[in-house]
Amino acid sequence: MAQRPTLKVEKREDFGKGFARRARANNLIPAVIYGHGQEPQHVFLPYHDTFLIVKDDKNAVIALEGLGAKTLVLVKDIQRHPLKRNIMHIDLLLVKADEKVNVEVPIILVGEPAPGMVAAHDLLNIEVSVPVIEIPEHIEVSVEGLEEGTVLKVADLDLGKDVEAVTDAETVVVAVAAPAEVDLPEGEAPAEDEEAAAKADQAAE
């Protein structure tokens, strides 16, 4: 099992917007831990270390210290400032290493379709059920050499061992087609033709 990132947390005893603002000014992130039928726990997370963990992994699984026993949590929601985009609050779900969870995972297209074709990426994220210790950072879908008219649906994806799709199997992930032709108004030449004509006029002078 891969080593999980660990954060030391502080229990939050005081509440209110003013107290939360002061905590943020001290580089602490208010967070709530819930799940498994337990009462929600309110804590503070260290800003810098937390940011490094979640900046590239929105489904990060983190071990928390400071709550008595070591606690395993899954990041469920990150609230950010609408302008500054800094982290304002995080929701954390209690999990166990041997359980499955439902998460949304990004889909990434790799490769190039057949020459002259365009792959339209219709589904950006897929919801999957997966063991909490094996959540993939993304799902790769190859479009290498795909011909016009090819449509890949969720049912066509190779999600890997122990990963099951929750998103409907008939949902279109990618469709391959020839790029649409753009009709120019009559008498209007493409920019390349105008440039070529200008050069020809200069040469004739």
Side-chain angles (χ1 to χ4, degrees):
M1 181 177 69
Q3 183 67 34
R4 291 292 161 190
T6 301
L7 292 175
K8 291 185 178 181
V9 304
E10 300 177 21
K11 292 184 179 180
R12 181 179 179 183
E13 305 292 348
D14 297 310
F15 299 89
K17 292 183 178 180
F19 189 80
R21 281 196 296 268
R22 289 194 294 274
R24 295 186 187 103
N26 290 322
N27 294 315
L28 297 173
I29 304 172
V32 61
I33 305 169
Y34 63 93
H36 288 176
Q38 298 185 21
E39 288 292 323
Q41 301 179 70
H42 297 272
V43 299
F44 288 116
L45 308 176
Y47 191 99
H48 180 70
D49 291 343
T50 303
F51 172 78
L52 292 179
I53 292 171
V54 305
K55 66 184 182 72
D56 295 321
D57 187 1
K58 68 175 186 178
N59 295 316
V61 178
I62 307 169
L64 302 182
E65 296 180 345
L67 299 174
K70 183 174 286 189
T71 303
L72 199 63
V73 295
L74 168 69
V75 174
K76 289 299 291 182
D77 185 59
I78 300 176
Q79 298 171 25
R80 298 181 182 273
H81 190 282
L83 298 178
K84 299 178 182 178
R85 303 304 298 162
N86 52 304
I87 300 173
M88 303 292 289
H89 189 274
I90 296 182
D91 289 354
L92 302 169
L93 177 67
L94 280 171
V95 293
K96 297 179 181 178
D98 59 353
E99 73 175 291
K100 276 192 167 186
V101 292
N102 287 6
V103 293
E104 279 200 350
V105 178
I107 293 177
I108 296 178
L109 302 187
V110 295
E112 296 292 337
M117 297 297 107
V118 174
H121 194 174
D122 291 337
L123 185 67
L124 300 181
N125 299 282
I126 181 173
E127 185 178 1
V128 297
S129 175
V130 61
V132 71
I133 60 173
E134 297 178 15
I135 299 173
E137 291 187 9
H138 58 263
I139 301 293
E140 289 190 357
V141 177
S142 175
V143 297
E144 185 65 34
L146 296 185
E147 300 287 347
E148 182 176 10
T150 302
V151 175
L152 297 180
K153 300 180 180 180
V154 168
D156 301 316
L157 303 186
D158 180 8
L159 300 177
K161 184 181 178 181
D162 295 330
V163 182
E164 301 176 7
V166 177
T167 301
D168 188 274
E170 292 301 306
T171 304
V172 174
V173 177
V174 59
V176 178
E181 294 184 2
V182 178
D183 293 330
L184 293 173
E186 187 175 348
E188 183 176 332
E192 299 92 331
D193 292 349
E194 292 179 354
E195 184 177 351
K199 288 181 178 179
D201 289 340
Q202 290 176 359
E205 290 177 353

